[in-house]
């Protein structure tokens, strides 16, 4: 029954007590799972685990809300108690349609969209310094009202729901405050699942990009970053809802492509003047391209700085990307909310026909 209704009506599970064994698979098949702090959910309990593997663990450590939020990613929200769980469910449902044939509900709103001058000076002057992308999201959505989904799981990417001029919008954003906003196995899974949900229920997707690339490491490669990372490309490419992208700062290499680029079917792409769109960062690129010039220079540090600036101005700036039609417009940060509102309005009747198929290939 969960499977038959998947993608037809939104499904939300509330875990308010013990949920063990096969019973745990039903909530896992639903779209959102809310677990209270007094509840536990696991397939195999602590006693059986101790008998089989000799591992000593409590029910709370194994299947408590904090464990699922921080480590497994099995749940989307933590509630303090049953009443709080119901409140979260009501808040979540306010963004969603009743079924996949309806548009999400639109709430009353002000038609005027003011400039936000604070965004023009929001980013750190040093491109290597981090910041919290949540602050930009709250400046774009109505009344700074953003429902953060799986907030503590894979925090290097943010997914959640907000409204722009009363319309529900699904938001996917890199967060430089965690792992510099790079993509990894967990963040790819988290974002791709959310994108598939938004596409199923006619919710437009806004993507905010600031990522230096995929997170490097042996464990990432052994863990299957290729197949997990492919889910993100698949989800964006398969989505037929309006897709709006703003490149805030870094968009390097394969991560640029994966984050709702034009090549994956983005309908409207804007870039801030601070955007750097390139195969790699200017510092790394200069070391590779101008290796001989730097080695032969009397003052290597000064030459390196000069060539980094040259590369950034010649290749990385958003105007070059705009000239190659990778970006539709270079906008003032203060105009971001206006850009999103205009794009949503112009794309409200978007229809995209895809070839009929029995099953799509979903990367495992």
């Amino acid at each position: 029954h969960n499977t038959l209704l998947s993608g037809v009506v939104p499904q939300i599970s509330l875990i308010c007590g013990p949920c063990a064994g096969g019973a745990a698979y039903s909530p896992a098949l639903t779209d959102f799972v809310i677990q209270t702090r007094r509840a536990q959910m696991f397939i195999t309990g602590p006693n059986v685990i101790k008998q089989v593997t000799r591992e000593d663990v409590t029910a709370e450590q194994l299947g408590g809300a904090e464990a699922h939020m921080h480590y497994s990613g099995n749940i989307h929200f933590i509630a303090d108690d049953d009443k709080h769980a119901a409140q979260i469910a009501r808040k979540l449902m306010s963004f969603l349609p009743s079924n996949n044939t309806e548009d999400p509900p639109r709430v009353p709103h002000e038609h005027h969209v003011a400039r936000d001058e604070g965004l023009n000076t929001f980013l750190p002057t040093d491109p290597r310094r981090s910041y919290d992308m949540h602050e930009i999201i709250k400046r774009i959505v109505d009344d700074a009202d953003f429902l953060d989904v799986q907030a503590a799981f894979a925090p290097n990417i943010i997914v959640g729901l907000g409204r722009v001029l009363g319309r529900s919008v699904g938001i996917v954003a890199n967060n430089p405050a965690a792992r510099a906003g790079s993509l990894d196995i967990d963040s790819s899974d988290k974002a791709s699942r959310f994108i598939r949900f938004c596409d199923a229920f006619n919710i437009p997707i806004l993507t905010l990009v600031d990522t230096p690339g995929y997170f490097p490491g042996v464990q990432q490669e052994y863990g299957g970053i290729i197949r997990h990372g492919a889910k993100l490309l698949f989800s964006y490419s398969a989505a037929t809802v309006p897709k709006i992208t703003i490149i805030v700062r870094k968009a390097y290499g394969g991560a640029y492509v994966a984050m709702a680029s034009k090549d994956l079917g983005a309908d409207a792409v804007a870039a801030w003047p601070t955007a750097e769109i390139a195969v790699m960062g200017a510092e790394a690129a200069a070391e590779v391209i101008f290796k001989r010039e730097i080695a032969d220079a009397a003052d290597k540090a000064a030459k390196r700085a000069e060539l980094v600036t040259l590369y950034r101005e010649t290749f990385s700036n958003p105007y070059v990307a705009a000239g190659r039609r990778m970006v539709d417009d270079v906008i003032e940060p203060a105009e971001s909310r206006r850009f999103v509102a205009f794009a949503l309005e112009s794309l409200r009747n978007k229809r995209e026909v895809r070839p009929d198929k029995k099953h799509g290939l979903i990367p495992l």
Side-chain angles (χ1 to χ4, degrees), residues 150 157 159 172 185-199 205 227-236 239 362-363:
Q150 287 186 302
I157 205 159
V159 302
V172 180
I185 289 171
D186 287 341
S187 63
S188 297
D189 288 348
K190 173 181 173 179
S192 59
R193 192 178 192 275
F194 181 75
I195 293 163
R196 298 284 279 173
F197 172 82
C198 290
D199 186 48
I205 300 167
R227 60 188 170 89
H228 287 276
K231 293 181 182 181
L232 191 56
L233 282 81
F234 179 91
S235 300
Y236 271 125
I362 302 177

Side-chain angles (χ1 to χ4, degrees), residues 125-158:
T125 54
D126 184 349
R128 292 171 296 184
R129 284 190 58 191
S130 66
Y131 63 91
D132 190 349
M133 184 68 84
H134 286 93
E135 296 304 315
I136 295 178
I137 294 171
K138 290 176 181 178
R139 289 171 178 263
I140 292 176
V141 299
D142 295 350
D143 304 317
D145 184 16
F146 175 65
L147 183 62
D148 204 348
V149 176
Q150 287 186 302
F153 178 68
N156 43 322
I157 205 159
I158 301 165

Side-chain angles (χ1 to χ4, degrees), residues 273 275-277 311-322:
E276 296 180 26
I277 304 167
Y311 180 89
R312 184 172 283 124
E313 292 177 351
T314 307
F315 299 109
S316 294
N317 72 74
Y319 302 100
V320 174

Side-chain angles (χ1 to χ4, degrees), residues 174 181-183 209 211-214 232-233 251-261:
N174 306 113
S182 59
L183 297 172
V209 184
T211 177
Y214 280 92
L232 191 56
L233 282 81
Y252 295 156
Y256 151 72
V257 178
M259 290 299 294
S261 64

